[in-house]
Structures are given as structure tokens and as C-alpha cells.
Amino acid sequence: MAAEGDLKLLGLSVSPFVVRVRMALHMKGLSYEYIEQDLFNKSELLLKSNPVETKVPVLIHDGKTILDSSAIVQYIDEVWAAMGPSILPVDPNERATARFWAAYVDDKLFSAYVGINKATTEVEREEKVSEMLAVLEQLEEAFAKNSNGKAFFAGDSIGYLDLAVGCHLLWLKAQHKMFGVVFLDAGKTPLLEAWAKRFAETDAAKEVVPDTGMVMEYAKKRQAYRAAVAAAAATAK
């Protein structure tokens, strides 16, 4: 892989947003130093690099920090435009459309499956599952409209919106195993279900996406942490 300056990525291997950035780096053929972070015990480097949100991913390029996964992917595509395939569409309208749907996914899809994991009752979980399924139906329509009958959102190969949606698939798989919910159904979302299978077979996904077991382990760790915090708060009262 090629390198361009000093490149570091602070991340968490099971974070969909970190997975998104790592897939973009892979698409461009860039070498970088990956520094795994413990979000339960945040490092001085992370606190210094992202003092406002103290979140991952953080890309550090020649000492300068770039925050937010979508901004990082766009930065990678612009700085290394001559390397590897273009990630964002060239056409301004297609680019704006991809950005819109990427923002929609990060807002609606992410919050829904985080809500599923946070739910403390079956009723609460079912509400979040319904939200998730509604989002996926919207994405089914978006795929039908934007793919033009091709294999991916971006056409014949993966692009910006494929990364934006595809990085979340690891959590859908983990929650399927944890709660028994089928999110991508050949009956309700046939295009998206077929796309997800193709996406999982791409080099970028196979190189970067962690094992589902790792995601489940982290999800359970988060659940235990929230339970401990709630118990401590109740005791304090």
C-alpha cells in the first residue's frame, strides 16, 4: 500500500464509523498507523486530538486532525484523488444525493439500532425495531432509484453511499444474533438484501469489517456499563 505523509487513525474496531474510514483508506491503497482506543478509558492522545467530542474516528495527517467519519472520507477522497477509485460521485447532483442519504443513515439507522441495544423492555425494543425496518424500507427505495439497476449504490463498484450504509451492516448482523430480528428480508427489502451480500464480498469489507462475535461482545459490554451506571445512580438517591 502507498503512503502520503504521516497518517494515523485513532479508532475502535467495532465502530461503524471507524469501519467506514478504514474501508475508504483501503480503497485508496493508503498505509497508515492504526491506534485502537479504549472508550471506557480514553487515552490522552484521543482527548488531545478530539477535545470537543472525545470520539473516534480521528484521522491525523501530518499532525493535523480531521474529525467526523463523513468528513474524513471526503478528505481522503480529495487529498488522494489521484490514487485508487473516486469515492464520491463526480456529478454534483449525485454527490449531493449521496451526502443526503449518508446523513439520513447516520441519523436514523444508527439511532435505531443503538436504541435496540439500549432498550430495557421488550416493548421499547420492538418500537426501535419498527423504526429500523422503516429506515431500511426507505433505503430500499433509495437503492432502486440511485443504483440504476447496477450492483451498488454507486454503480458497478462501491462508493461513498455504499460505505455509509455498509459500515453499519456489522451491527445489524450482531443484533440479529442477539435478538433474533431479521432486518434485511428478501421479501420486504430484496434489493438491499442482495446488495448487502455483494458488499460483504468486496475487498474493502473483507479487509476491514470485524467478526460479528467481537461486535456482540462489545454490545454486551456497553449494556453492562449502562446497567452499572443506572444502579449506581439509583443507590446514590
Side-chain angles (χ1 to χ4, degrees):
M1 302 180 89
E4 188 79 20
D6 181 37
L7 200 57
K8 297 182 177 71
L9 178 65
L10 311 187
L12 176 73
S13 59
V14 299
S15 163
F17 305 107
V18 173
V19 168
R20 176 184 296 173
V21 171
R22 297 188 76 181
M23 287 192 291
L25 289 165
H26 179 80
M27 287 177 68
K28 289 294 185 178
L30 296 165
S31 62
Y32 59 96
E33 180 184 357
Y34 177 70
I35 307 171
E36 181 78 0
Q37 299 295 301
D38 179 0
L39 298 189
F40 294 98
N41 183 24
K42 296 179 181 179
S43 70
E44 286 299 320
L45 179 58
L46 176 58
L47 296 175
K48 178 182 177 182
S49 302
N50 189 359
V52 177
E53 296 180 316
T54 67
K55 294 179 180 180
V56 293
V58 176
L59 187 71
I60 305 175
H61 181 210
D62 287 338
K64 297 178 181 179
T65 59
I66 303 93
L67 310 176
D68 180 80
S69 64
S70 295
I72 294 172
V73 171
Q74 292 177 53
Y75 178 87
I76 290 168
D77 198 36
E78 291 172 7
V79 173
W80 292 282
M83 296 175 61
S86 177
I87 297 174
L88 277 90
V90 175
D91 178 79
N93 180 264
E94 292 178 2
R95 184 181 291 237
T97 299
R99 284 172 169 157
F100 167 81
W101 283 109
Y104 175 82
V105 166
D106 287 351
D107 179 25
K108 304 298 184 182
L109 187 67
F110 178 69
S111 61
Y113 71 70
V114 167
I116 292 170
N117 200 52
K118 286 183 175 180
T120 55
T121 67
E122 281 303 314
V123 172
E124 191 178 348
R125 183 167 290 120
E126 287 173 5
E127 289 177 354
K128 291 300 178 181
V129 167
S130 295
E131 287 181 22
M132 172 85 85
L133 295 175
V135 172
L136 292 172
E137 288 178 9
Q138 290 284 349
L139 288 174
E140 174 80 1
E141 294 181 17
F143 185 86
K145 184 176 180 180
N146 294 290
S147 66
N148 296 314
K150 296 185 178 180
F152 300 99
F153 281 99
D156 293 321
S157 58
I158 60 173
Y160 183 72
L161 187 51
D162 294 283
L163 297 187
V165 181
C167 70
H168 293 285
L169 292 176
L170 72 166
W171 277 91
L172 271 63
K173 290 180 181 179
Q175 293 195 333
H176 169 63
K177 289 191 174 183
M178 292 173 69
F179 306 116
V181 181
V182 177
F183 293 111
L184 295 177
D185 182 271
K188 294 181 179 179
T189 54
L191 299 177
L192 210 56
E193 195 246 1
W195 164 84
K197 290 179 179 178
R198 290 191 294 271
F199 184 85
E201 291 302 312
T202 62
D203 289 342
K206 288 193 286 188
E207 180 70 24
V208 172
V209 177
D211 180 75
T212 305
M214 290 178 62
V215 182
M216 293 171 63
E217 182 180 347
Y218 184 78
K220 291 173 182 177
K221 189 176 180 180
R222 294 293 303 180
Q223 288 176 328
Y225 175 78
R226 283 192 294 269
V229 170
T235 302
K237 291 179 181 179

